[in-house]
Amino acid sequence: MIGVVVLGSTGSVGESTLDVLARNPDRFRLVALGANRNAARLAEQVRRWRPAYAALADERAARELTQLLGGSVPETRLLVGESALSEIASLPEADSVMAAIVGAAGLRSTLAAARAGKRLLLANKESLVMSGPLLMEAVRVSGATLLPIDSEHNAIFQCLPPHARAGEPPPGVRRVLLTASGGPFRESSREALEAVTPEAACAHPNWVMGRKISVDSATLMNKGLELIEACFLFGLRPGQIEILVHPQSIVHSLVEYLDGSVLAQLGSPDMRTPIAQALGWPDRIPSGVEFLDLIRTGRLDFQAPDADRFRCLALAQAAARAGGLLPVVLNAANEVAVQAFLERRLNFLEIAAVIEAVITTTTGTGAIGSLDDVLAADAEARRLAHERVAGNPAARGHAAGGVHA
Ligand code: NDP
């Protein structure tokens, strides 16, 4: 039995992971669950799974969880605080750790799993964007196995030669074609983008996801973060990664070889496929996804992305080329701007404006020497982004009770 820890268990990827585990009860044993503050959902999961540990980062929510359970699941030890997430990520009884916390909040626990030599199932792309050199080094030193969960990276992983090594240029590969759905506003004009609401941005045409990644998909920042992620995971240069808009989200990415062969991975747009692939690897296990019906799909379209309308993509591409701390700054500014957009303190196009302003004023432009460098650049970028958001007309309207749609 493979011991599994699910970090971010109350989220979209976390719940899909539990669904795959439930379909393969003879293979996996759930050891621990971790989340932030959704005590009610975590209580349901604890009652259903009875893991050895359950952790919440938020202290008030952890007290609520204790009350909700009322001693009814004595075999589960309840832990609290951010450090508890790192603790469950490195438990000796854990073989595989699903890192599915959203944003920079997942950085420390993801690093902890890598340092502990686990099989690390990486959904939390932000941790790799922020600390790529540190995370890849931790994987190398500890002998951890890094398996990508992002559907595109999981597709690339499946199309690479079996002897490719994490973080090293894969032999015989010319370039990678990273597909993007284009999000809900693929065809929208600039004027229409001005008026986009959080509800519309979170209604992705093909994927059901958490709110932050849904907005990232709508701005194409998600593809930019994925480009940076792919560079670290597969030892590629940014120039070796072409982004291809593919509205049907059936081809999850492609690898082009020196001999002209192009290998692709296809499947229904359902995260349970990459999750099952990584949980079972190198075996294949059932995932519960709807099997692909190419006749019903009918056509597969591809087009170039529009980096003029979707500035976030251009900003991320520039940060990928610059490297060092700039991806940290990009990620932090994006997290603050997306949150402000979700709270209607910023309009959709201003997300890119905030990130650009932070990138041009940050002092975090050097190389990554240590985790402290990363945390300092992250903190400064967040402060600059908050200042920029606060100076925004929509934010002032919000403070005065106005609502910006
Ligand atoms: P969700 O918003 O659905 O879930 C986020 C999870 O993270 C929740 O369990 C939440 O806990 C937890 N969390 C948030 N903040 C903290 C914190 N400070 N400390 C501890 N836990 C925290 O996100 P998704 O599942 O959509 O995405 C998770 C990650 O996977 C992201 O990095 C995303 O980019 C990546 N990903 C997601 C895909 C998808 O299809 N959803 C596809 C590919 C990648 P709580 O509920 O208690 O707040």
Side-chain angles (χ1 to χ4, degrees):
M1 294 289 269
I2 297 167
V4 180
V5 171
V6 182
L7 302 169
S9 64
T10 53
S12 164
V13 172
E15 299 236 282
S16 293
T17 305
L18 295 179
D19 185 87
V20 175
L21 294 180
R23 290 168 195 277
N24 296 276
D26 300 338
R27 194 179 264 263
F28 302 107
R29 180 172 45 90
L30 186 70
V31 173
L33 295 164
N36 186 25
R37 58 167 74 115
N38 191 345
R41 192 77 195 104
L42 193 64
E44 284 172 32
Q45 293 177 346
V46 168
R47 281 194 208 97
R48 155 76 176 81
W49 288 92
R50 302 185 163 262
Y53 301 87
L56 280 176
D58 185 89
E59 288 191 17
R60 216 175 62 188
R63 281 197 296 277
E64 192 189 336
L65 177 65
T66 307
Q67 278 170 5
L68 284 169
L69 291 171
S72 60
V73 191
E75 60 268 54
T76 302
R77 215 179 119 200
L78 303 183
L79 304 174
V80 58
E82 195 199 335
S83 61
L85 297 165
S86 298
E87 194 181 328
I88 61 173
S90 29
L91 286 167
E93 56 267 54
D95 304 296
S96 296
V97 175
M98 168 58 76
I101 290 174
V102 62
L107 175 62
R108 286 182 192 273
S109 51
T110 303
L111 274 171
R115 288 182 181 139
K118 304 299 182 192
R119 173 182 285 208
L120 175 56
L121 281 46
L122 186 70
N124 175 237
K125 66 191 86 185
E126 295 91 345
S127 59
L128 195 56
V129 168
M130 292 175 73
S131 71
L134 303 178
L135 186 56
M136 297 310 292
E137 179 63 9
V139 165
R140 259 190 301 274
V141 169
S142 70
T145 304
L146 180 55
L147 297 172
I149 294 298
D150 231 330
S151 58
E152 297 78 0
H153 304 72
N154 184 270
I156 295 165
F157 175 78
Q158 293 193 49
C159 296
L160 286 178
H163 50 288
R165 293 164 64 95
E168 293 180 16
V173 170
R174 181 168 174 265
R175 60 179 187 149
V176 156
L177 303 162
L178 194 64
T179 54
S181 69
F185 312 126
R186 186 169 43 89
E187 307 286 359
S188 304
S189 65
R190 248 193 99 78
E191 296 67 46
L193 291 179
E194 289 271 0
V196 156
T197 61
E199 292 72 25
C202 288
H204 196 279
N206 305 340
W207 298 93
V208 180
M209 307 184 286
R211 281 159 68 79
K212 192 257 177 185
I213 185 176
S214 296
V215 176
D216 285 348
S217 296
T219 61
L220 292 202
M221 176 56 89
N222 185 47
K223 216 42 59 181
L225 297 177
E226 287 181 7
L227 183 148
I228 299 169
E229 184 185 10
C231 289
F232 288 122
L233 279 175
F234 307 120
L236 299 166
R237 287 172 279 108
Q240 284 180 287
I241 302 171
E242 182 176 336
I243 291 167
L244 212 54
V245 173
H246 166 48
Q248 292 89 357
S249 296
I250 296 292
V251 179
H252 297 304
S253 276
L254 312 92
V255 175
E256 184 178 68
Y257 284 86
L258 292 174
D259 62 6
S261 298
V262 178
L263 302 191
Q265 186 261 354
L266 285 71
S268 298
D270 186 324
M271 285 304 292
R272 289 176 299 174
T273 292
I275 290 168
Q277 192 278 338
L279 276 170
W281 184 83
D283 296 342
R284 296 281 179 173
I285 59 171
S287 68
V289 305
E290 190 180 338
F291 289 103
L292 193 57
D293 179 345
L294 279 175
I295 298 204
R296 208 177 67 199
T297 304
R299 53 185 285 178
L300 301 173
D301 297 299
F302 300 94
Q303 61 198 63
D306 181 348
D308 288 336
R309 250 180 329 132
F310 295 97
R311 284 285 303 147
C312 284
L313 178 59
L315 292 169
Q317 284 171 318
R321 284 192 299 271
L325 288 164
L326 264 192
V328 181
V329 173
L330 174 96
N331 179 68
N334 180 56
E335 286 192 23
V336 171
V338 168
Q339 190 57 36
F341 167 71
L342 286 170
E343 293 167 3
R344 298 174 202 272
R345 290 183 284 124
L346 211 59
N347 86 28
F348 186 74
L349 291 176
E350 286 160 353
I351 295 175
V354 167
I355 298 166
E356 190 156 21
V358 173
I359 284 179
T360 49
T361 48
T362 181
T363 58
T365 52
I368 294 180
S370 66
L371 186 58
D372 285 344
D373 297 341
V374 170
L375 298 176
D378 177 81
E380 189 207 46
R382 279 172 202 272
R383 181 177 55 73
L384 292 170
H386 280 298
E387 282 170 15
R388 180 80 193 192
V389 170
N392 185 275
R396 287 197 293 273
H398 182 83
V403 173
H404 195 272

